[in-house]
Amino acid sequence: MRWLEKQRNIIDFTLSSLLRRKTKNIALMLVYTLVVFVLASVMFFAGAIKKEASIILRDSPEIIVQRMVAGRQELAPVGYMEVIKKIRGVQSVRGRLWGYYFEPVAGANFTLMVPEGGAEKGQIEVGKGILRSIRASEGDMLSLKSYNGDWVLLKIKGALSSESELVSSDLILISEEDFRRVFGISKEYFTDLTLHVHNSMELNTIAQKIQDLYPDTRPIVRDEILRTYDSIFNWRSGILLVIMSAAGLAFIIFAWDKASGLSAEEKKEIGILKAIGWETSDVIVMKFWEGTVISLSSFLAGIILAYFHVFFTSSTLFEPVLKGWSVLYPHFRLTPFIDEAQVMTLFFLTVLPYTVATIVPSWRAASVDPDSVMR
Amino acid sequence: MIELSDIRKVFNSGRSNAFTAVDGVTLSIDSRKITVLKGPSGSGKTTLLGIIGCMARPTSGRIQLTGQLTRAVTFSVEGAAAEVTSLPERFLTEIRRRAFGFIFQQFNLIKGITVLENVMLPAYPMGEGFKPLRERAAKILSDFNLSGKLFAKVEWLSGGEAQRVGIARALINDPTVIIADEPTAHLDTKLSGEFMGIVERLKGEGKTVIIASHDPIVFDSSVIDRIVEMRDGRISGGH
């Protein structure tokens, strides 16, 4: 009970102490919050984008077969499907139709795709990013210029709702017939083929068999897709690392400045406290609370701001760098996702060193003889 | 009673700039009396005061607390004298805050916080409830006619008021001994006279008061029981 009262009294004094140096402490908290904000934003962004990637890959086919002609992707003939289907271990083969369409008015690339279950002729479902960029809404008409210059008029049936806006932002789901009209692809061809297999252990064997059957194909197994995504995200992680290092460095300088000394006034106060009966440990407890109040509140403020920044404002501040080169800036919203371990790591990398940095110089000042204030 | 035997204090011991501030002082200070350490600047009064008040450790010699004062030494046997010089810092602090109240020449109040908080400050580490502590502090301040200044910041106070807040702060833990270092150095004649009035009142309440001063208003005062004259770190006389 006494211990609790003592802590309460010391915290009480700490708070009024902090209020005395309002400007200095507010400035301190602002810098601290900013550093945590940048670090946490980067962390949340990286975590969420990896999560998005795992959502995308969850439903991706085990093997994608592309036809390559002299290193360039070509359309895959329907005949290939029948032969591949007969390979032992292949569960199903499906032809996919997809392609990029440049929309000059919006100045953006759209991804047109025929959904697995098919779509109604003359109607399309579009991603929210497209709706925003062409300022259209449900029920409006969208005209696409086909390969021979004809216009294909399509009615927007609705906006795509997806777990991951990263996938759906620039996507148009279109019927097979309309797709073939726009791109001029005959019924004998698909963009590429997708495979599901019975046993994932056989993926590489099946890929090899396809390659042997059709030397002009390139079978891509899911692991490779994963690697591609990984390298894209890792490249971005590299940029994130630079930002993180800069913020980390700022924090070290900031904590070092704090650790390298107390003002003459603070030293005198510690002397007074010791002279009137405070122990060295009491002074350290006070400084501990001071450090904790500043660092914990800044940490929480930084984390909350970063959460809003990443998940509600779509990382406005570093969006152009992080989200790629696409002409159509995908104004997607990341699915809120927080990795507790990362937050804890950030906590231990900021709150802990800061608190220690507050205590160490005070400990040095507090271990002087209390009669120093009399001299 | 406080008994000092052969107290020496050497600063920067063993170095070329070594300086002996107190040199072999043996002294008994009676309880419930006012003792003044008189002497010019540099005579070792303040250093000796710090040693008596357990603020600093002597280089050699012993200090024994007897009688009522031993109550501050929590581990001492009732009635037996307690030798304090060899105690670790934690125990010295414990004794310092239970047995001694300090009044400083510069007042040493903490700026930016209120009068009330300044007075409560020495009691914070004792773990006393906030409310009773606050009431006690307010009561002491009202005894010094400072009721209207409880929530004033200390930097707004006049010299006399700041002095009285310093005294109130020295009394918050109800110490047996009040130690005052040059308490009138920053006060005019009238305020110095008032201060001596307060000292008399404290003596009347059973406190032991030890003052270091070279101000005639202090050592010529009729309320003083004993004067110990110091020069060059040694006792040079007294009555």
Side-chain angles (χ1 to χ4, degrees), chain A residues 255-281:
Chain A
W256 178 255
D257 179 56
K258 186 83 187 143
S260 56
L262 294 171
S263 67
E265 197 193 334
E266 280 175 296
K267 274 188 195 156
K268 193 185 170 209
E269 274 179 24
I270 291 176
I272 295 174
L273 291 175
K274 286 217 58 178
I276 61 174
W278 283 45
E279 270 180 50
T280 306
S281 64

Side-chain angles (χ1 to χ4, degrees), chain A residues 21 94 101 119 125 134 141 160 165 167 188 216 220 244 246 277 298 314 337 357:
Chain A
R21 288 182 268 270
R94 203 178 77 79
Y101 177 88
E125 281 184 89
I134 60 171
M141 300 300 283
L160 284 169
E165 226 184 277
V167 198
E188 282 81 51
D216 62 343
I220 309 161
M244 292 264 276
S298 310
S314 305
F337 166 74

